[in-house]
Amino acid sequence: MGGEYTHITLCSGIEELDEQLDKFIAKKEYEQYQQIFITDLCPSPFYLDVIDKNDDLKSKVLLFDHHKSAMDKIKKEYSFLTEVGEKNGKMCCGTSLFYEYLLQNNKLSENESIRRFVELTRLHDTYEWKSKNILEAYYLQILFQFLGPWGYLYHFVEKLSYENEFQYTEKEIEWIKEQTEKNQTKIEELAKNIVVLERENIKYGVILANYEYRNLLADCIQENRKEIDALLLLAGDENRFSFRSINPDIDVNQVAEICGGGGHTKAAGGKLNEETLQKILKFIK
Ligand SMILES: [Mn+2]
């Protein structure tokens, strides 16, 4: 991106982003970069202030995010922060906001394949694909599962660099089929162990499962267990918890915040640690 080299790092949530930022700032690592982009996640207000008070950092950092829980916590404006949930009646995601920035600042040239990939990512991230049944967007999730975070990143960087039009290749379709079959078997098995707990007239389907199954389990419950209003998944593999609203009237962002997390109204969660586990157990008791 114009610099001598590009360094990429991945974060699974706000806590991890804060931790990485803490080290990055303490060791003054930012001095060796010309620009620093953070997308689809927003640090906690404490670190926003740290960036704001450091002129070098402030001139280099640009943040693009769309999470409701993050927006609710931000009490003032920051010059380096773009926090938008919706633009012209269209829901945004970290990727779409960052893409717009890159186009507007001539850091990326218009390209049909990238444009489509960004739109599919937006449709997936905002869950808009579900109501419109755009499976092409859903397949991104399946490929992410199949390839893992870094594999996904490298695969799509390469794919988008040579494809003029976004289209799934035969190889990708094979991967999607393989992963879908694997998921089906796993979800059927997991769904047998759902515990239903009621709190304030809302029925929560509680389940212990790996983090990657959160959306698939929500879909499965929606189809087969109409009595359940929301899913609470406790994932020991990534030490995270996840809420998904099954009944569209349930705002899981609120509940996730009670449990020490946050996110969107239909999908929210957080880190699973002693503190949040205590809160979750108290909440579902
Ligand atoms: Mn997102």
Short mmCIF file of all heavy atoms in Angstrom, two decimals, residues 155-186:
data_model
loop_
_atom_site.label_atom_id
_atom_site.label_comp_id
_atom_site.label_asym_id
_atom_site.label_seq_id
_atom_site.Cartn_x
_atom_site.Cartn_y
_atom_site.Cartn_z
N HIS A 155 -5.82 -17.09 0.30
CA HIS A 155 -6.57 -17.61 -0.84
C HIS A 155 -7.29 -16.49 -1.59
O HIS A 155 -7.20 -16.39 -2.81
CB HIS A 155 -7.58 -18.66 -0.37
CG HIS A 155 -8.45 -19.18 -1.47
ND1 HIS A 155 -7.99 -20.08 -2.40
CD2 HIS A 155 -9.73 -18.89 -1.82
CE1 HIS A 155 -8.96 -20.33 -3.28
NE2 HIS A 155 -10.03 -19.62 -2.94
N PHE A 156 -7.98 -15.64 -0.86
CA PHE A 156 -8.76 -14.60 -1.53
C PHE A 156 -7.89 -13.45 -2.06
O PHE A 156 -8.23 -12.87 -3.09
CB PHE A 156 -9.90 -14.09 -0.64
CG PHE A 156 -11.08 -15.01 -0.68
CD1 PHE A 156 -11.28 -15.97 0.29
CD2 PHE A 156 -11.95 -14.99 -1.77
CE1 PHE A 156 -12.34 -16.86 0.22
CE2 PHE A 156 -13.01 -15.87 -1.85
CZ PHE A 156 -13.21 -16.81 -0.86
N VAL A 157 -6.80 -13.15 -1.41
CA VAL A 157 -5.88 -12.13 -1.95
C VAL A 157 -5.40 -12.60 -3.32
O VAL A 157 -5.39 -11.85 -4.30
CB VAL A 157 -4.69 -11.87 -1.00
CG1 VAL A 157 -3.58 -11.11 -1.71
CG2 VAL A 157 -5.16 -11.09 0.23
N GLU A 158 -5.05 -13.88 -3.41
CA GLU A 158 -4.57 -14.43 -4.68
C GLU A 158 -5.70 -14.48 -5.71
O GLU A 158 -5.54 -14.04 -6.84
CB GLU A 158 -4.00 -15.83 -4.44
CG GLU A 158 -3.04 -16.25 -5.53
CD GLU A 158 -2.89 -17.74 -5.65
OE1 GLU A 158 -3.27 -18.47 -4.70
OE2 GLU A 158 -2.43 -18.20 -6.72
N LYS A 159 -6.83 -15.01 -5.29
CA LYS A 159 -7.98 -15.14 -6.20
C LYS A 159 -8.38 -13.78 -6.81
O LYS A 159 -8.57 -13.66 -8.01
CB LYS A 159 -9.16 -15.73 -5.42
CG LYS A 159 -10.46 -15.91 -6.21
CD LYS A 159 -11.55 -16.45 -5.29
CE LYS A 159 -12.91 -16.47 -5.95
NZ LYS A 159 -13.04 -17.50 -6.98
N LEU A 160 -8.46 -12.76 -5.93
CA LEU A 160 -8.92 -11.45 -6.41
C LEU A 160 -7.86 -10.75 -7.26
O LEU A 160 -8.18 -9.82 -8.00
CB LEU A 160 -9.32 -10.57 -5.22
CG LEU A 160 -10.48 -11.10 -4.38
CD1 LEU A 160 -10.69 -10.23 -3.15
CD2 LEU A 160 -11.77 -11.18 -5.18
N SER A 161 -6.63 -11.20 -7.15
CA SER A 161 -5.58 -10.55 -7.93
C SER A 161 -5.59 -11.01 -9.39
O SER A 161 -5.08 -10.32 -10.25
CB SER A 161 -4.21 -10.78 -7.31
OG SER A 161 -3.85 -12.13 -7.45
N TYR A 162 -6.16 -12.16 -9.68
CA TYR A 162 -6.18 -12.59 -11.08
C TYR A 162 -7.57 -12.74 -11.68
O TYR A 162 -7.72 -12.86 -12.89
CB TYR A 162 -5.34 -13.86 -11.31
CG TYR A 162 -5.86 -15.13 -10.64
CD1 TYR A 162 -6.97 -15.81 -11.16
CD2 TYR A 162 -5.24 -15.64 -9.51
CE1 TYR A 162 -7.45 -16.95 -10.54
CE2 TYR A 162 -5.71 -16.79 -8.89
CZ TYR A 162 -6.81 -17.45 -9.42
OH TYR A 162 -7.28 -18.57 -8.80
N GLU A 163 -8.62 -12.74 -10.86
CA GLU A 163 -9.97 -12.89 -11.43
C GLU A 163 -10.56 -11.53 -11.77
O GLU A 163 -10.53 -10.62 -10.96
CB GLU A 163 -10.89 -13.57 -10.40
CG GLU A 163 -10.95 -15.07 -10.58
CD GLU A 163 -11.99 -15.73 -9.67
OE1 GLU A 163 -12.79 -15.03 -9.03
OE2 GLU A 163 -11.97 -16.96 -9.61
N ASN A 164 -11.11 -11.41 -12.95
CA ASN A 164 -11.77 -10.15 -13.32
C ASN A 164 -13.21 -10.13 -12.84
O ASN A 164 -13.77 -9.08 -12.55
CB ASN A 164 -11.72 -9.93 -14.82
CG ASN A 164 -10.30 -9.74 -15.30
OD1 ASN A 164 -9.49 -9.09 -14.62
ND2 ASN A 164 -9.97 -10.33 -16.43
N GLU A 165 -13.78 -11.32 -12.77
CA GLU A 165 -15.15 -11.42 -12.32
C GLU A 165 -15.18 -12.43 -11.18
O GLU A 165 -14.56 -13.49 -11.28
CB GLU A 165 -16.03 -11.89 -13.46
CG GLU A 165 -17.41 -11.25 -13.44
CD GLU A 165 -18.15 -11.58 -14.71
OE1 GLU A 165 -17.67 -11.21 -15.79
OE2 GLU A 165 -19.19 -12.26 -14.60
N PHE A 166 -15.91 -12.11 -10.12
CA PHE A 166 -15.93 -13.03 -8.99
C PHE A 166 -16.79 -14.25 -9.30
O PHE A 166 -17.97 -14.15 -9.59
CB PHE A 166 -16.49 -12.32 -7.75
CG PHE A 166 -16.34 -13.13 -6.50
CD1 PHE A 166 -15.26 -12.96 -5.66
CD2 PHE A 166 -17.28 -14.11 -6.18
CE1 PHE A 166 -15.11 -13.72 -4.51
CE2 PHE A 166 -17.14 -14.88 -5.03
CZ PHE A 166 -16.05 -14.68 -4.20
N GLN A 167 -16.16 -15.38 -9.24
CA GLN A 167 -16.88 -16.62 -9.50
C GLN A 167 -16.20 -17.73 -8.71
O GLN A 167 -14.97 -17.76 -8.63
CB GLN A 167 -16.78 -16.94 -10.99
CG GLN A 167 -18.13 -17.30 -11.58
CD GLN A 167 -18.08 -17.27 -13.09
OE1 GLN A 167 -17.01 -17.25 -13.71
NE2 GLN A 167 -19.24 -17.28 -13.71
N TYR A 168 -16.99 -18.64 -8.14
CA TYR A 168 -16.37 -19.74 -7.42
C TYR A 168 -15.82 -20.77 -8.42
O TYR A 168 -16.50 -21.14 -9.38
CB TYR A 168 -17.37 -20.40 -6.47
CG TYR A 168 -17.68 -19.54 -5.27
CD1 TYR A 168 -18.96 -19.05 -5.03
CD2 TYR A 168 -16.66 -19.18 -4.38
CE1 TYR A 168 -19.23 -18.25 -3.94
CE2 TYR A 168 -16.92 -18.37 -3.29
CZ TYR A 168 -18.20 -17.91 -3.06
OH TYR A 168 -18.46 -17.11 -1.99
N THR A 169 -14.60 -21.20 -8.19
CA THR A 169 -13.97 -22.17 -9.08
C THR A 169 -14.45 -23.59 -8.72
O THR A 169 -15.05 -23.80 -7.67
CB THR A 169 -12.43 -22.15 -8.92
OG1 THR A 169 -12.13 -22.50 -7.56
CG2 THR A 169 -11.86 -20.78 -9.23
N GLU A 170 -14.16 -24.53 -9.59
CA GLU A 170 -14.54 -25.93 -9.32
C GLU A 170 -13.94 -26.41 -8.01
O GLU A 170 -14.57 -27.11 -7.23
CB GLU A 170 -14.05 -26.82 -10.46
CG GLU A 170 -15.14 -27.10 -11.48
CD GLU A 170 -14.60 -27.88 -12.68
OE1 GLU A 170 -13.99 -28.94 -12.45
OE2 GLU A 170 -14.80 -27.40 -13.81
N LYS A 171 -12.68 -26.04 -7.79
CA LYS A 171 -11.97 -26.44 -6.58
C LYS A 171 -12.71 -25.89 -5.34
O LYS A 171 -12.93 -26.60 -4.36
CB LYS A 171 -10.54 -25.88 -6.64
CG LYS A 171 -9.63 -26.36 -5.56
CD LYS A 171 -8.97 -27.68 -5.92
CE LYS A 171 -8.79 -28.55 -4.70
NZ LYS A 171 -8.71 -29.97 -4.99
N GLU A 172 -13.08 -24.62 -5.40
CA GLU A 172 -13.78 -23.99 -4.26
C GLU A 172 -15.13 -24.67 -4.02
O GLU A 172 -15.53 -24.88 -2.87
CB GLU A 172 -13.98 -22.49 -4.52
CG GLU A 172 -12.70 -21.69 -4.38
CD GLU A 172 -12.78 -20.28 -4.93
OE1 GLU A 172 -13.52 -20.05 -5.91
OE2 GLU A 172 -12.09 -19.40 -4.40
N ILE A 173 -15.82 -25.01 -5.08
CA ILE A 173 -17.12 -25.68 -4.95
C ILE A 173 -16.94 -27.05 -4.29
O ILE A 173 -17.73 -27.45 -3.44
CB ILE A 173 -17.84 -25.76 -6.31
CG1 ILE A 173 -18.25 -24.33 -6.73
CG2 ILE A 173 -19.07 -26.66 -6.25
CD1 ILE A 173 -18.67 -24.17 -8.17
N GLU A 174 -15.86 -27.71 -4.63
CA GLU A 174 -15.53 -28.99 -3.99
C GLU A 174 -15.32 -28.80 -2.49
O GLU A 174 -15.82 -29.56 -1.67
CB GLU A 174 -14.22 -29.51 -4.58
CG GLU A 174 -14.32 -30.83 -5.33
CD GLU A 174 -12.99 -31.16 -5.97
OE1 GLU A 174 -12.03 -31.44 -5.23
OE2 GLU A 174 -12.93 -31.10 -7.22
N TRP A 175 -14.54 -27.77 -2.13
CA TRP A 175 -14.27 -27.47 -0.72
C TRP A 175 -15.58 -27.17 0.01
O TRP A 175 -15.80 -27.61 1.14
CB TRP A 175 -13.34 -26.26 -0.59
CG TRP A 175 -11.95 -26.48 -1.06
CD1 TRP A 175 -11.34 -27.69 -1.31
CD2 TRP A 175 -10.97 -25.48 -1.35
NE1 TRP A 175 -10.06 -27.49 -1.74
CE2 TRP A 175 -9.80 -26.15 -1.77
CE3 TRP A 175 -10.96 -24.09 -1.29
CZ2 TRP A 175 -8.63 -25.47 -2.13
CZ3 TRP A 175 -9.80 -23.40 -1.63
CH2 TRP A 175 -8.65 -24.09 -2.05
N ILE A 176 -16.45 -26.38 -0.63
CA ILE A 176 -17.72 -25.99 -0.02
C ILE A 176 -18.57 -27.23 0.25
O ILE A 176 -19.14 -27.39 1.33
CB ILE A 176 -18.49 -24.98 -0.93
CG1 ILE A 176 -17.74 -23.63 -0.98
CG2 ILE A 176 -19.92 -24.76 -0.45
CD1 ILE A 176 -18.15 -22.72 -2.12
N LYS A 177 -18.61 -28.15 -0.72
CA LYS A 177 -19.38 -29.39 -0.56
C LYS A 177 -18.83 -30.22 0.59
O LYS A 177 -19.58 -30.70 1.44
CB LYS A 177 -19.30 -30.22 -1.85
CG LYS A 177 -20.41 -29.87 -2.84
CD LYS A 177 -20.43 -30.88 -3.98
CE LYS A 177 -21.32 -30.39 -5.11
NZ LYS A 177 -20.83 -30.86 -6.42
N GLU A 178 -17.52 -30.37 0.61
CA GLU A 178 -16.88 -31.18 1.65
C GLU A 178 -17.17 -30.61 3.03
O GLU A 178 -17.55 -31.34 3.95
CB GLU A 178 -15.37 -31.19 1.36
CG GLU A 178 -14.63 -32.27 2.14
CD GLU A 178 -13.12 -32.20 1.92
OE1 GLU A 178 -12.69 -31.99 0.76
OE2 GLU A 178 -12.38 -32.33 2.91
N GLN A 179 -17.00 -29.29 3.18
CA GLN A 179 -17.23 -28.64 4.48
C GLN A 179 -18.70 -28.69 4.87
O GLN A 179 -19.03 -28.91 6.04
CB GLN A 179 -16.72 -27.20 4.43
CG GLN A 179 -16.75 -26.48 5.76
CD GLN A 179 -15.80 -27.11 6.78
OE1 GLN A 179 -14.64 -27.38 6.48
NE2 GLN A 179 -16.30 -27.35 7.99
N THR A 180 -19.60 -28.54 3.91
CA THR A 180 -21.04 -28.56 4.19
C THR A 180 -21.47 -29.92 4.72
O THR A 180 -22.23 -30.01 5.69
CB THR A 180 -21.84 -28.20 2.92
OG1 THR A 180 -21.35 -26.95 2.43
CG2 THR A 180 -23.33 -28.06 3.20
N GLU A 181 -20.95 -30.98 4.10
CA GLU A 181 -21.29 -32.33 4.57
C GLU A 181 -20.78 -32.56 5.98
O GLU A 181 -21.48 -33.11 6.83
CB GLU A 181 -20.68 -33.38 3.62
CG GLU A 181 -21.56 -33.61 2.40
CD GLU A 181 -20.82 -34.31 1.26
OE1 GLU A 181 -19.85 -35.05 1.52
OE2 GLU A 181 -21.22 -34.09 0.10
N LYS A 182 -19.55 -32.11 6.22
CA LYS A 182 -18.94 -32.25 7.54
C LYS A 182 -19.79 -31.51 8.58
O LYS A 182 -20.06 -32.02 9.67
CB LYS A 182 -17.55 -31.61 7.49
CG LYS A 182 -16.44 -32.45 8.06
CD LYS A 182 -15.15 -31.83 7.61
CE LYS A 182 -14.16 -31.60 8.71
NZ LYS A 182 -12.99 -30.86 8.19
N ASN A 183 -20.22 -30.30 8.23
CA ASN A 183 -21.01 -29.47 9.13
C ASN A 183 -22.34 -30.14 9.48
O ASN A 183 -22.76 -30.15 10.64
CB ASN A 183 -21.31 -28.12 8.50
CG ASN A 183 -20.10 -27.21 8.49
OD1 ASN A 183 -19.13 -27.45 9.19
ND2 ASN A 183 -20.16 -26.19 7.67
N GLN A 184 -22.99 -30.69 8.45
CA GLN A 184 -24.29 -31.30 8.66
C GLN A 184 -24.24 -32.40 9.71
O GLN A 184 -25.05 -32.42 10.65
CB GLN A 184 -24.79 -31.89 7.34
CG GLN A 184 -26.17 -31.36 6.96
CD GLN A 184 -26.33 -31.28 5.47
OE1 GLN A 184 -25.55 -31.88 4.71
NE2 GLN A 184 -27.33 -30.56 5.03
N THR A 185 -23.28 -33.28 9.56
CA THR A 185 -23.12 -34.38 10.52
C THR A 185 -22.87 -33.83 11.91
O THR A 185 -23.48 -34.26 12.89
CB THR A 185 -21.89 -35.24 10.11
OG1 THR A 185 -21.91 -35.40 8.70
CG2 THR A 185 -21.88 -36.57 10.80
N LYS A 186 -21.98 -32.84 12.00
CA LYS A 186 -21.61 -32.27 13.29
C LYS A 186 -22.79 -31.54 13.96
O LYS A 186 -23.02 -31.70 15.16
CB LYS A 186 -20.43 -31.28 13.07
CG LYS A 186 -19.81 -30.77 14.32
CD LYS A 186 -18.99 -31.83 15.02
CE LYS A 186 -18.62 -31.39 16.43
NZ LYS A 186 -18.03 -32.48 17.22
#
